Amino acid sequence: MIYHKESTTSTNDDAREGKYTHLDAIWAERQSCGRGQRGHVWLSNEGENLTFSVVLTPDFLPIDHQFLLSEIVALALVDTMSEYDIECRIKWTNDIYVGDSKLAGILIEHSLSGERIARTIVGIGLNVNQLIFPTDLPNPTSMATVTGCKFDRRAILERLLANLEMLYNQLRSGEDTTIQNRYIATMYRLNTTGLYALPSGEHFEATIRGVRSSGHLRLEHSDGTLHEYAFKEVEFVLRRP
Ligand code: BTN
């Protein structure tokens, strides 16, 4: 079920409330403390985009398989955008890109119960009808920017939830390899040489060769050696438009 509200701090906070259950979505027009990955804020013009969180209860999934949840969420966004003729790629770990621009971001938070995942909150910010963005955002885009059309946001959300449910059911049926292979095939910069940065600030060229089921990025360095990086151990360096 979709719960629509005018304003909140962050829909990821709302989604913690026990009254929301599996596949419920909490959608807010305005967030006073919208959160992004790596401690960033998420900015979105009121009434133009989709900022929402979905509750999942994947109690069948061991903690060390949690990257599969990132994968199905990213793929659900890719599938939904393709229904609108927008071709996207997934920038590891789970940014949704059109070309070199960011269309959507995902912030996933888990609560654990022993060795299992009790509740997963999937926060999604999808730029839909916004055409003008703050100049300090590196590379934003929106569905309207890409296509020149305006979109019905609720219809997009409904399709996205249907696609997420389908992928979730695949995950529950144990189709891990299919999901993993689809994610890899859809990766931004797959088999392409690009620039990366280490937390030390050092830059290097490398080629993405896929991702491990643990979520580690596999990068081939220019000397031919393969290296694996956890989230926060490496960053993409983006070309400026
Ligand atoms: C990112 O790319 O940095 C992730 C952005 C996630 C933003 C969404 S908007 C809805 C939900 N509520 C939040 O506070 N964050 C997520």
Side-chain angles (χ1 to χ4, degrees):
M1 172 152 182
I2 296 174
Y3 297 85
H4 188 204
K5 43 163 70 181
E6 278 312 306
S7 78
T8 188
T9 51
S10 157
T11 55
N12 268 34
D13 294 339
D14 297 328
R16 286 178 212 278
E17 286 177 42
K19 67 176 179 190
Y20 300 119
T21 57
H22 186 63
L23 283 172
D24 279 345
I26 303 96
W27 167 24
E29 294 294 350
R30 188 171 58 246
Q31 297 185 110
S32 55
C33 296
R35 298 197 295 276
Q37 289 187 24
R38 302 178 193 252
H40 291 132
V41 293
W42 184 259
L43 299 172
S44 175
N45 279 3
E46 189 175 340
E48 297 190 351
N49 300 315
L50 278 168
T51 46
F52 63 98
S53 302
V54 184
V55 175
L56 301 176
T57 51
D59 45 10
F60 61 91
L61 199 68
I63 293 167
D64 58 355
H65 286 43
Q66 60 179 264
F67 190 67
L68 284 160
L69 290 166
S70 280
E71 295 184 331
I72 61 164
V73 174
L75 288 169
L77 271 159
V78 169
D79 289 349
T80 307
M81 290 302 99
S82 110
E83 291 172 15
Y84 290 90
D85 293 325
I86 299 173
E87 200 187 316
C88 297
R89 299 199 74 84
I90 304 163
K91 175 173 162 280
W92 178 83
T93 50
N94 48 18
D95 286 344
I96 304 301
Y97 266 44
V98 177
D100 291 316
S101 300
K102 179 165 170 170
L103 179 70
I106 301 167
L107 178 68
I108 297 186
E109 296 172 327
H110 301 289
S111 27
L112 307 178
S113 160
E115 292 299 301
R116 303 267 148 185
I117 302 170
R119 191 176 181 88
T120 295
I121 294 169
V122 178
I124 298 179
L126 170 64
N127 296 327
V128 181
N129 292 321
Q130 187 168 338
L131 291 172
I132 297 167
F133 291 90
T135 48
D136 52 341
L137 289 182
N139 57 343
T141 193
S142 65
M143 294 174 70
T145 307
V146 170
T147 61
C149 303
K150 285 240 163 193
F151 295 91
D152 173 345
R153 292 174 299 147
R154 181 175 283 271
I156 298 167
L157 180 51
E158 284 167 357
R159 289 166 88 153
L160 182 51
L161 291 173
N163 286 323
L164 181 57
E165 185 172 15
M166 252 183 311
L167 281 149
Y168 186 88
N169 290 339
Q170 274 187 21
L171 179 60
R172 195 169 29 206
S173 327
E175 295 177 47
D176 301 14
T177 311
T178 311
I179 293 165
Q180 171 82 356
N181 289 343
R182 269 204 69 204
Y183 177 95
I184 291 172
T186 317
M187 284 177 89
Y188 172 74
R189 282 194 187 169
L190 180 69
N191 297 327
T192 307
T193 303
L195 201 56
Y196 297 85
L198 297 175
S200 63
E202 184 193 330
H203 284 38
F204 62 98
E205 279 204 333
T207 308
I208 294 184
R209 294 300 185 204
V211 71
R212 302 266 303 181
S213 57
S214 58
H216 286 72
L217 182 68
R218 299 178 72 233
L219 280 184
E220 185 179 326
H221 287 209
S222 41
D223 63 0
T225 54
L226 264 180
H227 298 253
E228 292 181 359
Y229 293 91
F231 183 62
K232 290 191 178 161
E233 286 180 353
V234 71
E235 267 194 68
F236 288 61
V237 178
L238 301 170
R239 273 181 286 144
R240 295 284 153 193

